Amino acid sequence: MNIVKGVTYRCKYNVGSPSCDLYGDFIVDCSGGNSSSTKWLNEGFDLIVPTEQMYYGCGSVTFIGERFKTGDPMIDSITMGGCTVNVPTRNTGMHVSPMRTIKTANENSSGILSALICHCVNSEFPPNDSYENLLEWTKTHLPSEYYVMLKSTKVLGPLVPYRRAINQRKFLKSLGNKWPQNYILLGDALYTFNPQYGQGMTHPCRLVREFNKIFNTNYHQLKDISYIFNRRASSISEECWLISTANDWKIPTLKVIRM
């Protein structure tokens, strides 16, 4: 019988820091996509968690900028929006979102500080070494109006790249009673999704609601809750997975790994 009675905590930013054992009646693991759960479950309980990963070449560059007037009223009117990836015909996209208004004496300024993100699938990554190179990438990878928008934007911070997004899921239901008592995975520790479809937030919210229902019934024993949760979470997770991955199967360089 596998039972989790607590966690061992250590500051990850200090390799030499001492560890601390924390005990609890029920452990909810929200340690994210880089969770070490599969490793220590295998080491501690000889438990192999079936996992599937989908690598679809997702990447992005995010930055903060002050937008200036382009002379095109249609483009200047876009304060929030963008163009989405539509594989396989277009593997790149862009989004702009206003952060706050700013005071400026420049009549050509929109007076808006915005967050802008250029993103891709199929490994058609936007460059982050210079804004000039990002503009060149935009010219060939995005609709012309977004090139005009970025050309009229003053960058006010670093170009921040991200290239580690994947779809990943763990098949906990298949483990049945081998799964440890008093322990569940939640959020990215259980499933990670293509961020384009919003399931990274929707999925854990739906699971938390289901978890709350299980506790509120007041007739399940604590030792059975993790098994009950894994069964119910399976169908919810499958719905979110299909929404998030259906379009990714059209990506030419898609790579699927099952472990």
Side-chain angles (χ1 to χ4, degrees), residues 96-189:
V96 57
S97 179
M99 298 177 62
R100 64 181 178 88
T101 57
I102 56 175
K103 293 182 179 180
T104 175
N106 192 324
E107 295 181 354
N108 288 322
S109 174
S110 66
I112 298 175
L113 201 63
S114 299
L116 302 100
I117 177 171
C118 298
H119 58 91
C120 77
V121 296
N122 202 44
S123 300
E124 299 178 21
F125 300 117
N128 68 295
D129 55 340
S130 72
Y131 194 57
E132 290 74 19
N133 287 338
L134 181 60
L135 283 176
E136 285 300 312
W137 179 89
T138 304
K139 186 187 295 185
T140 56
H141 287 82
L142 295 177
S144 59
E145 59 265 30
Y146 294 100
Y147 169 72
V148 174
M149 179 189 294
L150 288 183
K151 192 176 180 181
S152 301
T153 298
K154 179 182 179 181
V155 180
L156 300 177
L159 304 178
V160 182
Y162 184 76
R163 296 187 179 183
R164 293 184 294 174
I166 64 171
N167 294 314
Q168 178 175 259
R169 58 176 170 173
K170 298 180 175 75
F171 299 96
L172 305 189
K173 180 183 176 182
S174 65
L175 296 172
N177 290 342
K178 293 180 181 178
W179 183 257
Q181 296 176 9
N182 308 339
Y183 175 71
I184 65 169
L185 299 179
L186 195 65
D188 285 357

Side-chain angles (χ1 to χ4, degrees), residues 16-31:
S17 63
S19 61
C20 175
D21 292 333
L22 303 175
Y23 295 92
D25 294 325
F26 201 96
I27 309 300
V28 180
D29 187 339
C30 303
S31 53

Side-chain angles (χ1 to χ4, degrees), residues 52-88:
E52 181 179 70
Q53 297 175 337
M54 294 176 64
Y55 293 85
Y56 49 96
C58 180
S60 65
V61 170
T62 307
F63 60 95
I64 306 299
E66 178 185 358
R67 290 181 54 192
F68 288 81
K69 297 175 183 177
T70 65
D72 186 325
M74 185 192 74
I75 297 175
D76 294 339
S77 67
I78 303 174
T79 56
M80 175 182 288
C83 59
T84 60
V85 169
N86 184 24
V87 293

Side-chain angles (χ1 to χ4, degrees), residues 107 196 203:
E107 295 181 354
Q196 180 177 346
H203 177 251

